[in-house]
Amino acid sequence: YTGMPEKRVYLLEVRLDMAPAKVTLNKKTLKKTIDKKLITPAKGAWRYDNANKALWINIDTDVGTVEIS
């Protein structure tokens, strides 16, 4: 359609009982942050919300593989 973006992004919310030790994207370790503004595909970061038991990762649609450990 007219004006369709070339890429889309997804904000993933993954429910976990505890923060993961590591999150990787295409075998590259993402940085842990507490700043919501850094949760963008370009920043390569993730955030865990302990109060809601939720992991937040923002990725491009053509991302490849995300691993949580």
Side-chain angles (χ1 to χ4, degrees):
Y1 61 87
T2 303
M4 184 174 87
E6 289 183 33
K7 268 190 187 180
R8 296 185 187 265
V9 296
Y10 293 112
L11 177 60
L12 303 178
E13 177 186 7
V14 181
R15 297 295 180 152
L16 300 171
D17 288 333
M18 59 187 349
K22 166 169 91 165
V23 177
T24 61
L25 177 60
N26 292 326
K27 298 184 181 180
K28 179 183 171 192
T29 301
L30 301 180
K31 298 175 206 138
K32 180 179 178 180
T33 184
I34 57 171
D35 187 347
K36 291 180 186 180
K37 293 177 186 173
L38 294 178
I39 308 300
T40 67
K43 299 290 185 186
W46 60 274
R47 181 174 81 87
Y48 183 75
D49 179 350
N50 195 47
N52 293 306
K53 305 290 185 199
L55 168 67
W56 295 94
I57 312 167
N58 197 329
I59 60 171
D60 291 322
T61 53
D62 60 352
V63 72
T65 304
V66 175
E67 295 179 27
I68 301 167
S69 57

